Amino acid sequence: AAATDDGDGADTATPLVVGQERLADIDPAGDMDFFSFAAEAGLTYSIFTQLISLPDSEIFLYDVDGVTLMDSDDDSGPRLASSLAFTASQAGTYFVEVRAFAGGQTGVYALTVVEYSDDHGSQSSAATSLSPDVDTAGVLEVTSDLDYFSFDAATDSYYVLTTGSFTSLDTVMTLYDVDGTTSLAFDDDS
């Protein structure tokens, strides 16, 4: 599909279908595109751009009134693309503004809104239980995702915990005490 020019405000926002990519164009310089999407209360959504010929994007998330800024992001996605996640506090139509980071930039980008589901808990109280000598796969679905795991440990025993990646993802690991908050060890690149 060809990139299109989209609305310049909440009142002319282009409706998005959650889960479908939308190609769009920032042109002329200084252009901004507004989109809307329907969200359900309590669900979490990931909103992100993919840069095609646009050098750098910014996204702004507005509440159902189309005016109240809820969140924004410049470059949490790959390269200089934008990415954010939010949980809808109420059902309704939310708005996303996309613009170039620098006023003189123009180009094509793709915008996607997807319902976000996490494969493992994002806090110690929701940790996934591990079994000894069994690999457990995980996915960091958005840039702010954390995956927590737990295991039963015996006194005076030795444990080796490792992560691996099928991509160029650089993981870090923190070992917490039984309270789930006291950090015992941290590792980035061992």
Side-chain angles (χ1 to χ4, degrees), residues 44-46 71 73 76-77 83-86 116 118 121-123 139-148:
T44 300
Y45 296 87
S46 178
D71 201 355
D73 183 73
S76 292
S83 177
L84 61 84
F86 94 104
Y116 166 76
D118 200 359
S122 293
Q123 56 191 14
V139 176
L140 298 175
E141 290 87 2
V142 294
T143 55
S144 60
D145 188 18
L146 300 172
D147 285 348
Y148 278 76

Side-chain angles (χ1 to χ4, degrees), residues 94-166:
Y94 290 80
F95 299 89
V96 178
E97 175 189 357
V98 180
R99 59 181 153 182
F101 177 73
Q105 296 175 336
T106 62
V108 176
Y109 65 93
L111 177 67
T112 308
V113 177
V114 294
E115 189 178 318
Y116 166 76
S117 61
D118 200 359
D119 57 346
H120 300 287
S122 293
Q123 56 191 14
S124 60
S125 62
T128 299
S129 180
L130 298 177
S131 298
D133 301 316
V134 176
D135 290 342
T136 301
V139 176
L140 298 175
E141 290 87 2
V142 294
T143 55
S144 60
D145 188 18
L146 300 172
D147 285 348
Y148 278 76
F149 301 91
S150 64
F151 62 97
D152 291 326
T155 303
D156 297 323
S157 295
Y158 182 78
Y159 297 91
V160 176
L161 304 172
T162 61
T163 62
S165 176
F166 295 109

